[in-house]
Amino acid sequence: MLQNIRDNSQGTIAKIIVGFIIITFALFGIESIVALGNSESAPATVNGSDIQEVEILRLVNAQKNRFRQQFGENYDESLFNDGFLRQSALEQLIEQKVAVTQARELGGYVSTQSIDSAILAAPEFQQDGQFSSDRFKLVLRQNAMTPLSYRAVLEEQTLVAQVQLGMGLTDTALPYEVKRQQALKTEQRDYEYVIFNAADLKKDIELSAEDIQTFYDANKQRYQTEEKVSVDYVVLNKSDIKSDIQVDEEEVEQGYQDYLDQLGETEERKASHILVEVNDERNDDAASALAQQLSERATNGADFSELAKEHSDDIGSKNIGGDLGFNTRGGFVVEFDDELFTMVEGQVSEPVRTEFGYHVIKLEAIRKPEAESKEDKRSDIVADIKASQLNGMFAEQSEALAAAAFESDNIENLIAHSDLGLKAQNSNLFSRTQGKGIALNVLVRNAAFDEKVLADRELSDVIEISADQVVVIGLNKHVEPAVKSLADVKMTIEAHLLTEKANALAAKKANALVAKLATGDSGVAWTQAKSATFTDSGEAPAELNKAVFALAKQSGKVASAKVSTGQAVARLKSVTQVEVVASAEEQEVISQAKANESVYIYRQWSKTHSDVERSGS
C-alpha cells in the first residue's frame, strides 16, 4: 500500500498539491497548516481554573535561576531537560491550584493588612533592615511580576499555609503516641549474631559446563546485542547557500522605519497610582466612589503623592506617593496598560477597574530612547535585511528538500529530484541510545528507529539539527538484535551463578543454624552487639538490626535476615527499656511528624477529589 501511495504521488495532481504546500509554507510559515488542526488551550485546568503557559515559563525560569546560583560557573543549561523542567513546573502549579481551591472551600481568608505586613517583613525586599520600594520593584521585575500579580500569588500561598498551619496546631500527638515513640527510640537490645558471608562461600562452589549451558539456554534474551542501524543522509547548511543579495534604498528606508517602530515599542512611561481595593470593609460601589473622588481631587490640583500616601491600598508604593517608576507596555495588567499608554504627561485618569480594585493613575513622564540617524544605522539595517533574506532562502530550500524527500524512496533519488547541490553521506552503525557523527544527535537516532524509516523504508521528514542546518535520512542497514555466543558471555554467567549459589548456600547455612538453636547451642562464634537501638545498630548490619527489633521482648528469640554480604542470624539476649520523659522539643518533633503525615494525606485526598485536566503537556 505504501508503495502504491508513493507511486501515485508522482502524478501531476500530487505535484500541484505539494507545490501549493510549499508556497503556503514559504508565505505564511508552517503554522498556517498546523493551526488548521490545533486550537490553543490551557496546559492544564484545575477545578475550572486554567493554568496559563506564562505561569509555567515563569516557574521554569525560576528553577533555572536557582540552578545558576547553585552551580555558578559550572552551570550548563544543556544538562537540564526543558521537557522535564516544564513537566515538573506544571505538576507544581497543579498542586498549588488544588491546594488553593481546597483552602477557599474550607473558608480561608487573607486580609489586605496581612499581605501588606508580609511584604514589609520579607527580607528579600529589605535594604539595611528596612523595606525598600526600589528593592521590591527590582526583585519583582527580575521574576517577571508586577506588584499586583505578586500580591495575588502571596495571597494564594498564605491561604495554603493557613490550612497546613491549622493541621499542625490541631493534629498533635497524644500522650500515648509520644510515649510509644519514645519507647521505640530509647529501647536498647543486646544480641549476638553471625554472618554467613557469600563471598567466602564462593570458593567451595564448583560450576559445571552443564550449569553454564543450562543457564545460557534459559536466559538467552538477557544476552542480546543492541539493535543497530546505519543511515544514508543529506545535509542542507545555510552557510552553503551561495547568494549575492543586493539591498536597494527602498529596503533600507523600510528597515529604518521598522527600527523607529521598534523604538516606539520600548517607550517607557513613569506612573504613579492610587489603588482602592474592594474588600470586606468596602464594597464595589464604595470603592468606585472613593476612587472617583480621589481622581477629581487630584485633577483639581491636590497633591497626588499625598493622596496616595493617605488612601492607596498598594503597600508596595503608597509610602512613596504611589510611584511605580518607568515601565514599558506590558508591565501592568491590560486595563491599566491600556489607560496609561493613551494618557498625556501630567494627566490624571478616571478610575480604572482591574481584578485588584480601582486605580487612579497619573502619568508623570515619558521616556523614549534616542533614535540613531539612518546613515548611522545603515550597515546594521543592510546586514539584517541580508540575514533575513538568507533565512528566507534557507526556509524555501528546506521546504524544497521536504518535498523532494516526500517524492523519493531513497537518498540517491532525492538528490536526483532536487537541484540543491546535495551530497550523499553515510553513517556508521549506531543504536537507539548511542552513536557517532550525525548519530550523536538524538533527533536523528529517533528518526532512524521510527517506523517510517525502519519498517516502511521511507525517507525521514526534514530534521532540524540547528537553526542553520537540516538533514534528511534514509535506512542504509538494519542489524537485528542477536544472541551473543556463549563464549562471549561465559564469564558473566559464571559470576552470576557463583553469586546466586553462594547466596543460596548462605541462606541454607543460616536456616540450619536457626534449626539447631531451637534444640541447643550450635557452637558458632558469635559477634556481640551491645546496647543497640532501633536507629543505631553499631557494627551490626542495619537489615539484621531491624529484624531483631521486630522480635518479641524475650531472651533467646532468633531472627534471620538477608544482608548485603550474605545471610545473618541473631539471637536476642536482653531488652532494656530506658525510661526517658520526652522534652517539650521532642514532643514538638513527634507532633510535627504526625502533622506532616496528615498534611500529605490531605493533599493526596484533595488532588484525588479535584477535577484536573491536562492538555498540551
Side-chain angles (χ1 to χ4, degrees), residues 16 72 204 212 467:
I16 292 173
D204 299 325
I212 297 171

Side-chain angles (χ1 to χ4, degrees), residues 567-594:
Q567 194 78 19
V569 176
R571 181 167 60 183
L572 184 61
K573 296 176 70 175
S574 65
V575 177
T576 304
Q577 191 64 59
V578 181
E579 293 292 340
V580 177
V581 178
S583 65
E585 183 179 350
E586 289 172 324
Q587 291 185 43
E588 178 64 28
V589 170
I590 294 171
S591 292
Q592 186 61 54
K594 183 181 179 185

Side-chain angles (χ1 to χ4, degrees), residues 256-271:
Y256 186 67
Q257 287 303 316
D258 291 342
Y259 159 70
L260 294 178
D261 291 342
Q262 291 172 0
L263 279 185
E265 293 175 4
T266 62
E267 175 187 306
E268 294 179 303
R269 296 200 164 201
K270 183 179 182 183

Side-chain angles (χ1 to χ4, degrees), residues 128-145:
D128 299 327
Q130 298 292 324
F131 174 79
S132 167
S133 179
D134 290 340
R135 176 72 179 165
F136 174 69
K137 288 185 285 189
L138 174 64
V139 172
L140 263 56
R141 193 177 299 116
Q142 289 173 340
N143 289 275
M145 300 182 77

Side-chain angles (χ1 to χ4, degrees), residues 45-64:
T45 302
V46 179
N47 297 321
S49 176
D50 290 342
I51 292 175
Q52 302 297 337
E53 185 66 29
V54 67
E55 297 178 83
I56 298 175
L57 294 177
R58 182 184 295 131
L59 198 51
V60 168
N61 288 333
Q63 290 173 331
K64 288 182 177 180

Side-chain angles (χ1 to χ4, degrees), residues 63 74 83 90 96 122 146 183 236 242 266 366 373 510 531 547 577 612:
Q63 290 173 331
N74 296 321
L90 178 60
Q96 178 72 6
T146 66
L236 178 65
K242 293 181 174 59
T266 62
I366 299 174
S373 69
S531 303
Q577 191 64 59
V612 179

Side-chain angles (χ1 to χ4, degrees), residues 91 111 126 156 177 575:
E91 292 303 319
S111 68
Q126 292 187 356
E156 290 188 347
E177 292 176 305
V575 177

